[in-house]
Amino acid sequence: MGNTVRVESRRQQWQRRSRTIPIMLGATGAAIVLSPVIVLVAAVADVGRGLLRLPRVRTFLFLLQYGVNDSVEILLAPVLWAMAGFGTRLRGKASISRHQRLQRWSLRVLIRRADRLLGLRIATDESSRAALVPTPAIVLCRHVSIFDAPLPSALYLDSGVDVRGVIMAELLVDPGFDLLYGRLGSVFIPRDNGPDARAQVAHLGRGIHGSSVAVIFPEGRLFRAEDMQRSLVSVAKTDAARAMRLQRLRHVLPPRPGGFTALLEACPNVDVVVISHTGLESYGALRDLAGDVPLTMSITVEARRYSREEIPADLADAANWLDDRWLEMDEWIHERLPPAN
């Protein structure tokens, strides 16, 4: 993949990691030691409120598993670095394969725990599964919850596809995520630094090959109804006609075309897959989910594939094409949501 486009220096990177790594390892160790007490207190609190399916216990156990997985990634990262010639062959085939095995193990464990503890299950049909392949591809996904961030990786998990994501730099606070995903070609982009962010996205796109996909969430942030008007006002400052057309949106934010068009330029011959989903609207963060687990409804997912010939070559027209897909997604979601009271 060549040299990574950096938005922070090595010194800044290790200053951050010198804080995040001890915090994660310490918090996970403390949670393991105190887990019998925490589970007992959470169980008493649940039963005392008549919550016999123990949502607080389930939520704590899921968080504990996440911490264990993250800690394993942190502890194995220097081992994998040493095995890759003390960092000189991190981008080599053998090193990438070792990191992918660790990533897929972690994802599988968390998906099982999310299913059994939280009731988070993915429901998709055969046509959607078929739309995910062949690769390479650019994958565009809706973003309404922290739980849809790993959704594309979960969908591709058993297909042997190398999933590389465009990830907000805020997630660098998770050191296992930082170490593992960064080495596997994902990029962490600053939210408000357009040129650097676009350069990183283009860098990711140039590394996409026959068995990989580039995943991006074009909304750029979690959907919140209260953010809709602010987003439309921002769009109107540069394109009033576009803002008028996107006023029809109800369940997704206006997509930001910069990352998408950067990928189109960097990956000139690949198809585009659009992933829509519903079922997570009320669960933007873990605290929103905690009182309802285990969930009884699945996350409904639909994937649609568009050949490169269907996407306009002109980047301005491609941005309009993206808007059209988001308007269609909004209608798809609206048809599947329960009527508002």
Side-chain angles (χ1 to χ4, degrees):
M1 285 193 59
N3 294 326
T4 302
V5 179
R6 291 193 173 277
V7 294
E8 63 176 358
S9 67
R10 286 282 187 186
R11 181 179 180 181
Q12 291 171 321
Q13 182 182 71
W14 284 108
Q15 283 178 337
R16 171 173 47 75
R17 288 175 177 174
S18 69
R19 297 188 301 272
T20 59
I21 289 174
I23 289 171
M24 177 58 74
L25 293 177
T28 301
I32 291 171
V33 171
L34 297 173
S35 59
V37 175
I38 296 173
V39 168
L40 178 61
V41 171
V44 170
D46 282 338
V47 173
R49 290 172 172 79
L51 304 173
L52 301 183
R53 302 195 72 182
L54 306 178
R56 289 174 178 80
V57 174
R58 291 170 177 269
T59 301
F60 167 73
L61 291 176
F62 178 78
L63 285 172
L64 181 61
Q65 183 67 68
Y66 188 94
V68 168
N69 282 33
D70 213 71
S71 297
V72 169
E73 292 164 5
I74 292 168
L75 295 173
L76 287 182
V79 176
L80 297 179
W81 178 83
M83 293 175 68
F86 297 97
T88 61
R89 297 191 300 274
L90 274 175
R91 299 297 186 188
K93 185 175 180 180
S95 174
I96 293 296
S97 179
R98 287 190 288 266
H99 283 80
Q100 285 175 335
R101 286 197 295 272
L102 176 58
Q103 179 193 48
R104 289 167 185 163
W105 165 82
S106 185
L107 279 169
R108 285 193 177 94
V109 170
L110 287 176
I111 289 169
R112 286 198 300 270
R113 296 295 182 268
D115 180 348
R116 296 170 186 174
L117 292 171
L118 306 181
L120 284 171
R121 300 178 183 89
I122 299 171
T124 188
D125 58 23
E126 185 61 36
S127 64
S128 291
R129 290 190 289 272
L132 296 171
V133 291
T135 56
I138 297 169
V139 178
L140 313 176
C141 188
R142 179 196 188 194
H143 200 21
V144 72
S145 167
I146 61 168
F147 296 103
D148 63 29
L151 180 59
S153 294
L155 293 171
Y156 280 106
L157 184 58
D158 294 319
S159 61
V161 172
D162 175 12
V163 178
R164 301 176 184 179
V166 179
I167 305 166
M168 288 295 104
E170 289 91 333
L171 289 179
L172 288 169
V173 298
D174 181 332
F177 200 79
D178 167 19
L179 290 163
L180 185 58
Y181 282 72
R183 291 181 185 180
L184 286 171
S186 292
V187 294
F188 294 86
I189 64 171
R191 189 178 296 278
D192 299 315
N193 193 337
D196 281 339
R198 188 177 177 89
Q200 282 198 290
V201 173
H203 174 75
L204 181 150
R206 288 191 292 272
I208 296 302
H209 52 76
S211 62
S212 60
V213 296
V215 175
I216 190 169
F217 295 81
E219 290 160 273
R221 64 183 68 241
L222 294 180
F223 171 83
R224 294 290 181 269
E226 58 268 25
D227 292 336
M228 179 64 78
Q229 193 57 39
R230 189 182 307 115
S231 296
L232 288 171
V233 168
S234 178
V235 171
K237 290 178 180 177
T238 56
D239 192 335
R242 180 179 181 234
M244 286 288 292
R245 190 160 65 99
L246 294 177
Q247 281 185 338
R248 294 158 44 197
L249 296 175
R250 294 152 293 183
H251 310 293
V252 293
L253 294 176
R256 300 178 178 186
F260 173 59
T261 56
L263 285 174
L264 289 179
E265 287 186 296
C267 313
N269 300 308
V270 306
D271 293 348
V272 174
V273 176
V274 178
I275 297 177
S276 308
H277 62 83
T278 186
L280 291 171
E281 287 75 17
S282 299
Y283 308 117
L286 185 63
R287 62 179 177 274
D288 303 319
L289 182 72
D292 291 345
V293 298
L295 302 184
T296 57
M297 295 180 62
S298 299
I299 305 165
T300 302
V301 176
E302 179 187 78
R304 295 185 184 181
R305 189 178 195 89
Y306 300 88
S307 69
R308 192 52 177 263
E309 290 73 22
E310 297 177 76
I311 302 166
D314 180 81
L315 294 184
D317 291 337
N320 290 331
W321 179 92
L322 176 63
D323 285 346
D324 289 339
R325 303 292 76 75
W326 243 242
L327 286 163
E328 291 171 358
M329 180 187 294
D330 188 78
E331 188 61 33
W332 181 89
I333 295 165
H334 190 74
E335 290 173 356
R336 284 157 179 79
L337 289 178
N341 294 327

PDB file of all heavy atoms in Angstrom, residues 53 115 117-121 279-280 283 289 292-299:
ATOM      1  N   ARG A  53     -34.640 -10.434  32.574  1.00  0.00           N
ATOM      2  CA  ARG A  53     -33.698 -10.873  31.536  1.00  0.00           C
ATOM      3  C   ARG A  53     -32.326 -10.222  31.718  1.00  0.00           C
ATOM      4  O   ARG A  53     -31.449 -10.361  30.889  1.00  0.00           O
ATOM      5  CB  ARG A  53     -34.269 -10.595  30.143  1.00  0.00           C
ATOM      6  CG  ARG A  53     -35.632 -11.293  29.919  1.00  0.00           C
ATOM      7  CD  ARG A  53     -36.007 -11.332  28.484  1.00  0.00           C
ATOM      8  NE  ARG A  53     -35.192 -12.289  27.751  1.00  0.00           N
ATOM      9  CZ  ARG A  53     -35.284 -12.507  26.433  1.00  0.00           C
ATOM     10  NH1 ARG A  53     -36.147 -11.804  25.717  1.00  0.00           N
ATOM     11  NH2 ARG A  53     -34.514 -13.381  25.829  1.00  0.00           N
ATOM     12  N   ASP A 115     -24.939 -11.280  19.733  1.00  0.00           N
ATOM     13  CA  ASP A 115     -26.136 -12.098  19.490  1.00  0.00           C
ATOM     14  C   ASP A 115     -26.672 -12.667  20.804  1.00  0.00           C
ATOM     15  O   ASP A 115     -27.838 -12.435  21.179  1.00  0.00           O
ATOM     16  CB  ASP A 115     -25.770 -13.222  18.515  1.00  0.00           C
ATOM     17  CG  ASP A 115     -26.942 -14.130  18.185  1.00  0.00           C
ATOM     18  OD1 ASP A 115     -27.986 -14.065  18.862  1.00  0.00           O
ATOM     19  OD2 ASP A 115     -26.819 -14.930  17.249  1.00  0.00           O
ATOM     20  N   LEU A 117     -25.842 -12.121  24.071  1.00  0.00           N
ATOM     21  CA  LEU A 117     -26.038 -11.248  25.230  1.00  0.00           C
ATOM     22  C   LEU A 117     -26.980 -10.088  24.944  1.00  0.00           C
ATOM     23  O   LEU A 117     -27.836  -9.753  25.776  1.00  0.00           O
ATOM     24  CB  LEU A 117     -24.687 -10.695  25.706  1.00  0.00           C
ATOM     25  CG  LEU A 117     -23.719 -11.706  26.304  1.00  0.00           C
ATOM     26  CD1 LEU A 117     -22.356 -11.062  26.529  1.00  0.00           C
ATOM     27  CD2 LEU A 117     -24.255 -12.271  27.616  1.00  0.00           C
ATOM     28  N   LEU A 118     -26.826  -9.449  23.769  1.00  0.00           N
ATOM     29  CA  LEU A 118     -27.592  -8.241  23.475  1.00  0.00           C
ATOM     30  C   LEU A 118     -28.782  -8.492  22.560  1.00  0.00           C
ATOM     31  O   LEU A 118     -29.664  -7.624  22.438  1.00  0.00           O
ATOM     32  CB  LEU A 118     -26.688  -7.185  22.835  1.00  0.00           C
ATOM     33  CG  LEU A 118     -25.414  -6.819  23.600  1.00  0.00           C
ATOM     34  CD1 LEU A 118     -24.637  -5.750  22.849  1.00  0.00           C
ATOM     35  CD2 LEU A 118     -25.731  -6.365  25.015  1.00  0.00           C
ATOM     36  N   GLY A 119     -28.806  -9.636  21.903  1.00  0.00           N
ATOM     37  CA  GLY A 119     -29.887  -9.905  20.960  1.00  0.00           C
ATOM     38  C   GLY A 119     -29.713  -9.191  19.637  1.00  0.00           C
ATOM     39  O   GLY A 119     -30.680  -9.039  18.878  1.00  0.00           O
ATOM     40  N   LEU A 120     -28.504  -8.755  19.335  1.00  0.00           N
ATOM     41  CA  LEU A 120     -28.231  -8.077  18.063  1.00  0.00           C
ATOM     42  C   LEU A 120     -27.985  -9.127  16.982  1.00  0.00           C
ATOM     43  O   LEU A 120     -26.987  -9.843  17.000  1.00  0.00           O
ATOM     44  CB  LEU A 120     -27.017  -7.165  18.184  1.00  0.00           C
ATOM     45  CG  LEU A 120     -27.222  -5.840  18.912  1.00  0.00           C
ATOM     46  CD1 LEU A 120     -25.893  -5.145  19.139  1.00  0.00           C
ATOM     47  CD2 LEU A 120     -28.173  -4.933  18.143  1.00  0.00           C
ATOM     48  N   ARG A 121     -28.923  -9.218  16.041  1.00  0.00           N
ATOM     49  CA  ARG A 121     -28.821 -10.201  14.958  1.00  0.00           C
ATOM     50  C   ARG A 121     -29.047  -9.510  13.623  1.00  0.00           C
ATOM     51  O   ARG A 121     -29.854  -8.593  13.523  1.00  0.00           O
ATOM     52  CB  ARG A 121     -29.856 -11.312  15.145  1.00  0.00           C
ATOM     53  CG  ARG A 121     -29.690 -12.070  16.446  1.00  0.00           C
ATOM     54  CD  ARG A 121     -30.773 -13.135  16.627  1.00  0.00           C
ATOM     55  NE  ARG A 121     -30.629 -13.803  17.918  1.00  0.00           N
ATOM     56  CZ  ARG A 121     -31.189 -13.382  19.031  1.00  0.00           C
ATOM     57  NH1 ARG A 121     -31.947 -12.291  19.030  1.00  0.00           N
ATOM     58  NH2 ARG A 121     -31.016 -14.031  20.167  1.00  0.00           N
ATOM     59  N   GLY A 279     -33.447  -0.883  12.266  1.00  0.00           N
ATOM     60  CA  GLY A 279     -33.515  -1.660  13.501  1.00  0.00           C
ATOM     61  C   GLY A 279     -32.662  -1.082  14.606  1.00  0.00           C
ATOM     62  O   GLY A 279     -32.803  -1.457  15.770  1.00  0.00           O
ATOM     63  N   LEU A 280     -31.770  -0.146  14.247  1.00  0.00           N
ATOM     64  CA  LEU A 280     -30.876   0.459  15.239  1.00  0.00           C
ATOM     65  C   LEU A 280     -31.198   1.926  15.502  1.00  0.00           C
ATOM     66  O   LEU A 280     -30.438   2.613  16.188  1.00  0.00           O
ATOM     67  CB  LEU A 280     -29.420   0.345  14.760  1.00  0.00           C
ATOM     68  CG  LEU A 280     -28.828  -1.068  14.745  1.00  0.00           C
ATOM     69  CD1 LEU A 280     -27.470  -1.060  14.044  1.00  0.00           C
ATOM     70  CD2 LEU A 280     -28.701  -1.633  16.154  1.00  0.00           C
ATOM     71  N   TYR A 283     -30.901   3.175  19.015  1.00  0.00           N
ATOM     72  CA  TYR A 283     -29.735   2.722  19.769  1.00  0.00           C
ATOM     73  C   TYR A 283     -28.448   3.313  19.205  1.00  0.00           C
ATOM     74  O   TYR A 283     -27.563   2.602  18.731  1.00  0.00           O
ATOM     75  CB  TYR A 283     -29.672   1.195  19.753  1.00  0.00           C
ATOM     76  CG  TYR A 283     -30.967   0.553  20.179  1.00  0.00           C
ATOM     77  CD1 TYR A 283     -31.699  -0.252  19.310  1.00  0.00           C
ATOM     78  CD2 TYR A 283     -31.475   0.779  21.455  1.00  0.00           C
ATOM     79  CE1 TYR A 283     -32.893  -0.823  19.709  1.00  0.00           C
ATOM     80  CE2 TYR A 283     -32.679   0.213  21.854  1.00  0.00           C
ATOM     81  CZ  TYR A 283     -33.382  -0.586  20.976  1.00  0.00           C
ATOM     82  OH  TYR A 283     -34.578  -1.141  21.370  1.00  0.00           O
ATOM     83  N   LEU A 289     -29.096   1.303  24.336  1.00  0.00           N
ATOM     84  CA  LEU A 289     -29.452  -0.100  24.154  1.00  0.00           C
ATOM     85  C   LEU A 289     -29.619  -0.832  25.477  1.00  0.00           C
ATOM     86  O   LEU A 289     -30.419  -1.770  25.587  1.00  0.00           O
ATOM     87  CB  LEU A 289     -28.362  -0.790  23.320  1.00  0.00           C
ATOM     88  CG  LEU A 289     -28.536  -2.249  22.949  1.00  0.00           C
ATOM     89  CD1 LEU A 289     -29.630  -2.388  21.893  1.00  0.00           C
ATOM     90  CD2 LEU A 289     -27.230  -2.824  22.399  1.00  0.00           C
ATOM     91  N   ASP A 292     -32.909  -2.207  26.990  1.00  0.00           N
ATOM     92  CA  ASP A 292     -33.790  -3.030  26.161  1.00  0.00           C
ATOM     93  C   ASP A 292     -33.249  -4.413  25.847  1.00  0.00           C
ATOM     94  O   ASP A 292     -33.944  -5.211  25.225  1.00  0.00           O
ATOM     95  CB  ASP A 292     -34.074  -2.308  24.836  1.00  0.00           C
ATOM     96  CG  ASP A 292     -34.939  -1.072  25.018  1.00  0.00           C
ATOM     97  OD1 ASP A 292     -35.542  -0.931  26.102  1.00  0.00           O
ATOM     98  OD2 ASP A 292     -35.006  -0.259  24.084  1.00  0.00           O
ATOM     99  N   VAL A 293     -32.018  -4.690  26.212  1.00  0.00           N
ATOM    100  CA  VAL A 293     -31.452  -5.987  25.841  1.00  0.00           C
ATOM    101  C   VAL A 293     -32.022  -7.095  26.737  1.00  0.00           C
ATOM    102  O   VAL A 293     -32.356  -6.842  27.891  1.00  0.00           O
ATOM    103  CB  VAL A 293     -29.906  -5.976  25.927  1.00  0.00           C
ATOM    104  CG1 VAL A 293     -29.345  -4.964  24.962  1.00  0.00           C
ATOM    105  CG2 VAL A 293     -29.408  -5.696  27.336  1.00  0.00           C
ATOM    106  N   PRO A 294     -32.128  -8.304  26.157  1.00  0.00           N
ATOM    107  CA  PRO A 294     -31.829  -8.651  24.765  1.00  0.00           C
ATOM    108  C   PRO A 294     -32.933  -8.205  23.816  1.00  0.00           C
ATOM    109  O   PRO A 294     -34.112  -8.327  24.129  1.00  0.00           O
ATOM    110  CB  PRO A 294     -31.719 -10.172  24.807  1.00  0.00           C
ATOM    111  CG  PRO A 294     -32.665 -10.575  25.903  1.00  0.00           C
ATOM    112  CD  PRO A 294     -32.561  -9.480  26.936  1.00  0.00           C
ATOM    113  N   LEU A 295     -32.538  -7.701  22.657  1.00  0.00           N
ATOM    114  CA  LEU A 295     -33.507  -7.260  21.660  1.00  0.00           C
ATOM    115  C   LEU A 295     -34.229  -8.462  21.066  1.00  0.00           C
ATOM    116  O   LEU A 295     -33.694  -9.568  21.009  1.00  0.00           O
ATOM    117  CB  LEU A 295     -32.803  -6.489  20.541  1.00  0.00           C
ATOM    118  CG  LEU A 295     -31.993  -5.254  20.943  1.00  0.00           C
ATOM    119  CD1 LEU A 295     -31.446  -4.567  19.705  1.00  0.00           C
ATOM    120  CD2 LEU A 295     -32.821  -4.293  21.769  1.00  0.00           C
ATOM    121  N   THR A 296     -35.436  -8.230  20.625  1.00  0.00           N
ATOM    122  CA  THR A 296     -36.226  -9.317  20.028  1.00  0.00           C
ATOM    123  C   THR A 296     -36.369  -9.156  18.527  1.00  0.00           C
ATOM    124  O   THR A 296     -36.881 -10.050  17.859  1.00  0.00           O
ATOM    125  CB  THR A 296     -37.623  -9.366  20.668  1.00  0.00           C
ATOM    126  OG1 THR A 296     -38.262  -8.090  20.502  1.00  0.00           O
ATOM    127  CG2 THR A 296     -37.538  -9.698  22.146  1.00  0.00           C
ATOM    128  N   MET A 297     -35.954  -8.000  17.981  1.00  0.00           N
ATOM    129  CA  MET A 297     -36.047  -7.755  16.543  1.00  0.00           C
ATOM    130  C   MET A 297     -34.657  -7.728  15.923  1.00  0.00           C
ATOM    131  O   MET A 297     -33.720  -7.207  16.521  1.00  0.00           O
ATOM    132  CB  MET A 297     -36.776  -6.435  16.260  1.00  0.00           C
ATOM    133  CG  MET A 297     -38.232  -6.423  16.695  1.00  0.00           C
ATOM    134  SD  MET A 297     -39.016  -4.834  16.327  1.00  0.00           S
ATOM    135  CE  MET A 297     -38.863  -4.785  14.531  1.00  0.00           C
ATOM    136  N   SER A 298     -34.538  -8.262  14.722  1.00  0.00           N
ATOM    137  CA  SER A 298     -33.261  -8.294  14.026  1.00  0.00           C
ATOM    138  C   SER A 298     -32.985  -6.965  13.331  1.00  0.00           C
ATOM    139  O   SER A 298     -33.888  -6.154  13.111  1.00  0.00           O
ATOM    140  CB  SER A 298     -33.256  -9.415  12.980  1.00  0.00           C
ATOM    141  OG  SER A 298     -33.437 -10.676  13.583  1.00  0.00           O
ATOM    142  N   ILE A 299     -31.715  -6.757  13.003  1.00  0.00           N
ATOM    143  CA  ILE A 299     -31.315  -5.633  12.154  1.00  0.00           C
ATOM    144  C   ILE A 299     -31.538  -6.065  10.707  1.00  0.00           C
ATOM    145  O   ILE A 299     -30.899  -7.016  10.232  1.00  0.00           O
ATOM    146  CB  ILE A 299     -29.842  -5.275  12.374  1.00  0.00           C
ATOM    147  CG1 ILE A 299     -29.563  -5.003  13.847  1.00  0.00           C
ATOM    148  CG2 ILE A 299     -29.446  -4.081  11.524  1.00  0.00           C
ATOM    149  CD1 ILE A 299     -28.088  -5.008  14.179  1.00  0.00           C
TER     150      ILE A 299
END
